[in-house]
Amino acid sequence: MEPPIPAKGHYDIGFLLLPGFSQLAFSSALEPLRMANHLADRRLYTWHLVSRDGNAVNASSGLGVAVDQALEPMPSLDLLLVCGGVEVQRHDDRATLSWLKRLAERHIPLGAVCTGGYVLARAGLLDGYRCTLHWEHIGSLHEARRFPAVSFTSQLFVMDRDRYTCSGGIAPLDMMLNLIGRQQGLALAEAIAEEFIHERIRGVGDRQRAPLRVRLGHSHPKLEEVATLMEANLQEPLALDELASYAGLSRRQLERLFQRYVGCPPLRYYLELRLARARLLLLQTHMPITEVALACGFVSPTHFTKCYHDHFGHSPSGERKRRQQRQDDLASLSGE
């Protein structure tokens, strides 16, 4: 959809930096604006960095970034982007949510990069919208049945009316290039991409996770088909014979295929997928460990705990303790 920001000569963009924000995602959103000004040889964009209290904010790397102001006085903006990262659930305080709601009441378009969409959703500002955030968090929100009025997608970025959301990494670069292209013309957006050695401006149809053939460095349609089936059936795992049958293979052919291209038996690969999902749920939700085990296809908490410990070197409860320790460390870095 066409962006709601009217075509004009100058835009004020705000960035709300949450503690633990992704430096890469933030820079990927900011740098295209700087380059647009440079290539146009005039100030098309001005940006303002905001934090809850006006103090510098530490990124997930621990690097401190100075900001221009606190939440108040409220700046005059054409767009506000919430920049999230690790432990985003800890930074949905009442003052921040209230401030975002007041921006929305003023009809200021809102957006987010990386996990910042979680905070917009907590404020109720994504209800009835399509949006996205980092793929690691989408699955967790679905499992926890959070935000049923929000339509999450696995797209790199979504531009739905006056809401602009994108995943992490360099996805914000593509979202901002699309925005600049719509506001200033495609030629400028392409020139910025060339300056950043970005060979293709990805569009709203592009998805976050690379296909299995790209992740594994080869393309074998049967292998990709089986892996896709596995990813779609984590809660109730399919038997090896079922997987082979769906792909039109014998059990032995399937085992040879995985051993050759993936380097492990198919059931091992399947188990690791389930354990990876379990780890995300442990880190990003408050689901009881028993529910996490069932959601990832384990017959009992005892079996789940053993498999988890064998793979990660610590128990599911130990994972939760490690998460709390990371939260405490981050709070100490942020001076909270």
Side-chain angles (χ1 to χ4, degrees), residues 35-78:
M35 186 57 71
N37 291 346
H38 172 72
L39 293 178
D41 198 27
R42 61 190 179 93
R43 188 168 291 278
L44 299 174
Y45 296 96
T46 300
W47 47 90
H48 312 268
L49 307 189
V50 182
S51 71
R52 183 178 60 186
D53 55 9
N55 293 326
V57 185
N58 285 324
S60 57
S61 64
L63 182 67
V65 176
V67 302
D68 301 308
Q69 67 166 84
L71 299 180
E72 301 295 344
M74 186 173 291
S76 176
L77 299 172
D78 295 298

Side-chain angles (χ1 to χ4, degrees), residues 203-220:
V204 293
D206 285 279
R207 297 188 175 275
Q208 291 185 47
R209 300 193 70 183
L212 183 69
R213 62 178 178 274
V214 175
R215 301 204 302 271
L216 297 179
H218 67 87
S219 59
H220 194 295

Side-chain angles (χ1 to χ4, degrees), residues 75-259:
S76 176
L77 299 172
D78 295 298
L79 173 66
L80 184 282
L81 296 175
V82 181
C83 301
V86 298
E87 307 294 350
V88 68
Q89 297 92 336
R90 300 184 64 238
H91 306 295
D92 56 354
D93 57 277
R94 183 176 300 177
T96 299
L97 299 184
S98 175
W99 184 75
L100 290 170
K101 289 177 182 177
R102 284 187 284 126
L103 287 179
E105 289 170 357
R106 295 188 180 188
H107 304 290
I108 294 173
L110 300 172
V113 302
C114 196
T115 62
Y118 173 88
V119 176
L120 288 181
R122 281 280 292 118
L125 299 175
L126 293 179
D127 289 357
Y129 285 88
R130 294 176 64 257
C131 73
T132 191
L133 68 163
H134 195 282
W135 63 265
E136 285 188 332
H137 289 257
I138 292 176
S140 301
L141 293 179
H142 281 310
E143 290 288 352
R145 296 177 175 83
R146 299 294 302 273
F147 314 125
V150 181
S151 178
F152 290 101
T153 81
S154 59
Q155 292 171 225
L156 278 173
F157 62 92
V158 176
M159 305 169 83
D160 185 0
R161 292 162 286 169
D162 55 350
R163 297 292 183 268
Y164 302 78
T165 55
C166 68
S167 54
I170 63 168
L173 171 60
D174 294 283
M175 183 176 77
M176 299 307 284
L177 288 174
N178 276 266
L179 185 62
I180 291 169
R182 292 180 178 185
Q183 293 171 344
Q184 313 293 347
L186 183 59
L188 179 58
E190 290 178 339
I192 296 170
E194 289 176 359
E195 289 286 337
F196 292 157
I197 324 296
H198 193 54
E199 64 179 17
R200 180 176 75 89
I201 301 176
R202 295 175 292 180
V204 293
D206 285 279
R207 297 188 175 275
Q208 291 185 47
R209 300 193 70 183
L212 183 69
R213 62 178 178 274
V214 175
R215 301 204 302 271
L216 297 179
H218 67 87
S219 59
H220 194 295
K222 294 293 185 183
L223 180 62
E224 186 176 355
E225 182 179 349
V226 171
T228 301
L229 277 171
M230 290 176 173
E231 290 181 351
N233 293 275
L234 298 180
Q235 186 168 357
E236 297 182 5
L238 300 173
L240 188 57
D241 288 336
E242 290 180 285
L243 291 167
S245 177
Y246 282 129
L249 299 169
S250 69
R251 179 185 179 119
R252 188 164 182 81
Q253 286 174 321
L254 181 59
E255 289 174 335
R256 284 201 299 263
L257 198 61
F258 266 83
Q259 200 63 52

Side-chain angles (χ1 to χ4, degrees), residues 58 90 324-336:
N58 285 324
R90 300 184 64 238
Q324 185 59 51
Q325 183 60 54
R326 285 192 293 271
Q327 290 176 347
D328 294 343
D329 290 345
L330 184 60
S332 176
L333 282 172
S334 302
E336 297 180 355

